[in-house]
Amino acid sequence: MAQETPSQQTPSGETFVIVGASLAGAKAAETLREEGFGGRIVLIGEEDERPYERPPLSKDYLLGKQERDKAHVHEAGWYERNGIELRLGVRATAVDRIGHRVDLDDGDRLTYDKLLLTTGASPRRLKVPGAELQGIHYLRSMEDSARLRETLEPGGRRIVVAGAGWIGLETAAAARAYDNEVTVIEPEPTPLHSSLGPEVGGLFADLHRAHGVNLRLDQGVAGFWGAGQVSAVVTSGGAEIPADVVIVGIGVRPNTELAEAAGLEVSDGVLVDQSLRTSDPDVFAAGDVAGAYHPLLGKRIRVEHWANALNGGPAAARSMLGQAVSYERLPYFFTDQYELGMELSGLPAPGEYDDVVFRGEPESGEYLAFWLSGGRVAAGMNVNVWDVTSDIQALIRAGERVDAARLADPKVPLADLIH
């Protein structure tokens, strides 16, 4: 007699509730059905928009290169055809772990057998004088992107971007594509300083300066001026920068309020093990909100990028079904800015590496960068060089000391560096 898979053993009378109609939530629901779960699936989202991917919001959709529908994870009829109850425009207000219930702000109460939290993250807000003025934008939702696109598209405006992280730089590039005057304010000495370190962060500074962006580094935003509508940004150094539009991209905070109120373990995210299970065996978390133990890296990490939502949602779904799951995908991120296309694998934050090795000349616009820790590749980035991500990730996973000279030599195949 053939052995049943865990998903085939799942009772069809069970109810799985997913709070967060996000990419991670939608992919989890899809995976549950693909794995044979025949029970009730309820997917809850605060927005009226059905689940969508976020990268287009600061890339192709913002640039007018992609229509709104292209960002959706599934077309409109997919949820009904697959027996997934998509509850949009409602918010989960409480989780009763003892009673296995989720309360909604429309007065409904759902009983669950397994619960998945894919509540994502929210933009950090600037708390400075004038922060309530009109014309100050934060980018997280489809509606945020649509409003910003309408603002940028006429061109000829003075745009000030607060924060030189990924969102800040991508929106700065979009604003320049619409022929706006752009100033970026960043308290760190380089863009992406906390993500890539000064060596590669400096290359992104060069890229944006070459496209006419005025970078104000080593200074933050102290306040805004304006009579109802923002008209200037005041820096921590006392400078006043004229502004018709301000875009704030100073990072995000995980939406852990629901989990925290329910008594789950929380610390910069909902804490989960390598199977994406929380401190409650019937509650799971995935995507931006999850601080997951990574068995390869030997520590908890919270990854805010698209690939983590894309892959974490399905991993959590399989774990909910009782399958053995060890979620150990390496963090992966991509960006497009001007003529630059880049993929990044690993976490090269300052303090996590002791050397940076380049393969190819950064000035050429086509190169690889490797962050080394103790002679081992901790992270790698490919800029306008394609089909090398798997080799870069293999180097990271191998955990072997590499010869820096051979690593920098384009004539040496990356695969040859693994013994």
Side-chain angles (χ1 to χ4, degrees):
M1 181 177 174
Q3 184 178 359
E4 290 183 317
T5 64
S7 58
Q8 289 172 325
Q9 296 170 350
T10 302
S12 61
E14 287 191 323
T15 296
F16 285 7
V17 174
I18 303 171
V19 178
S22 55
L23 171 60
K27 297 303 286 187
E30 176 185 311
T31 302
L32 288 172
R33 287 293 185 239
E34 288 178 345
E35 293 291 322
F37 177 65
R40 184 186 182 195
I41 301 174
V42 186
L43 180 57
I44 301 164
E46 290 188 33
E47 295 182 52
D48 293 323
E49 197 91 32
R50 70 181 186 272
Y52 56 87
E53 301 188 15
R54 296 194 187 276
L57 306 189
S58 59
K59 298 180 177 73
D60 284 354
Y61 178 68
L62 184 59
L63 286 164
K65 297 178 180 179
Q66 178 177 305
E67 293 306 312
R68 191 184 190 107
D69 267 358
K70 293 290 186 181
H72 290 120
V73 183
H74 301 105
E75 51 89 13
W78 181 89
Y79 298 93
E80 184 177 359
R81 287 198 308 272
N82 286 275
I84 295 165
E85 299 176 41
L86 184 58
R87 304 280 298 272
L88 298 178
V90 294
R91 182 172 61 88
T93 57
V95 172
D96 176 356
R97 291 165 49 205
I98 296 175
H100 277 61
R101 290 189 300 267
V102 177
D103 293 344
L104 306 181
D105 65 355
D106 63 0
D108 200 1
R109 173 174 283 185
L110 298 170
T111 301
Y112 68 85
D113 292 283
K114 297 284 170 56
L115 173 65
L116 173 61
L117 302 177
T118 55
T119 48
S122 297
R124 296 187 183 278
R125 301 271 166 170
L126 273 174
K127 298 178 180 178
V128 296
E132 75 288 347
L133 292 171
Q134 296 297 310
I136 300 174
H137 294 256
Y138 292 82
L139 179 57
R140 186 64 181 178
S141 71
M142 183 78 78
E143 288 304 318
D144 292 339
S145 184
R147 285 192 293 268
L148 186 56
R149 178 173 161 179
E150 290 176 0
T151 301
L152 298 179
E153 196 166 9
R157 296 187 175 184
R158 299 168 299 182
I159 313 295
V160 175
V161 179
W166 295 114
I167 291 295
L169 294 188
E170 288 179 354
T171 54
R176 287 297 296 137
Y178 286 121
D179 200 26
N180 293 288
E181 178 185 319
V182 179
T183 299
V184 175
I185 302 172
E186 169 57 50
E188 297 285 358
T190 70
L192 301 169
H193 192 272
S194 62
S195 300
L196 304 180
E199 301 88 350
V200 177
L203 297 177
F204 278 85
D206 294 341
L207 172 72
H208 281 264
R209 288 189 178 112
H211 285 83
V213 175
N214 176 24
L215 293 179
R216 297 255 185 162
L217 303 174
D218 289 312
Q219 53 192 300
V221 173
F224 303 103
W225 290 115
Q229 172 75 28
V230 68
S231 59
V233 179
V234 182
T235 73
S236 56
E240 293 186 18
I241 304 171
D244 303 306
V245 177
V246 173
I247 305 169
V248 180
I250 57 172
V252 299
R253 57 167 186 81
N255 296 325
T256 60
E257 295 86 354
L258 191 66
E260 193 167 2
L264 296 171
E265 291 184 13
V266 171
S267 177
D268 184 35
V270 181
L271 300 186
V272 295
D273 61 18
Q274 65 193 54
S275 69
L276 302 183
R277 191 187 304 267
T278 71
S279 51
D280 183 318
D282 291 328
V283 182
F284 301 75
D288 293 9
V289 76
Y293 178 78
H294 197 290
L296 177 64
L297 301 179
K299 62 180 180 180
R300 289 189 187 275
I301 60 172
R302 190 176 65 80
V303 180
E304 299 166 358
H305 304 320
W306 164 85
N308 183 47
L310 180 71
N311 297 299
R318 295 186 178 97
S319 191
M320 294 167 77
L321 292 170
Q323 298 180 21
V325 170
S326 179
Y327 186 61
E328 53 188 52
R329 283 182 173 268
L330 285 171
Y332 168 87
F333 177 71
F334 72 95
T335 189
D336 298 297
Q337 300 172 32
Y338 312 111
E339 71 281 358
L340 176 144
M342 181 277 278
E343 296 174 294
L344 171 68
S345 297
L347 294 172
E352 300 291 323
Y353 67 91
D354 47 44
D355 192 17
V356 178
V357 173
F358 292 97
R359 174 178 286 224
E361 296 298 329
E363 295 77 10
S364 71
E366 296 181 5
Y367 63 94
L368 307 183
F370 298 94
W371 289 261
L372 303 185
S373 177
R376 298 171 176 82
V377 177
M381 180 179 83
N382 48 299
V383 174
N384 293 331
V385 178
W386 307 110
D387 302 321
V388 294
T389 295
S390 59
D391 287 335
I392 291 172
Q393 294 201 358
L395 277 171
I396 298 171
R397 288 187 174 279
E400 300 174 358
R401 294 181 65 88
V402 296
D403 184 313
R406 297 184 73 217
L407 184 63
D409 188 349
K411 297 189 290 296
V412 179
L414 292 178
D416 288 359
L417 297 169
I418 302 174
H419 302 296

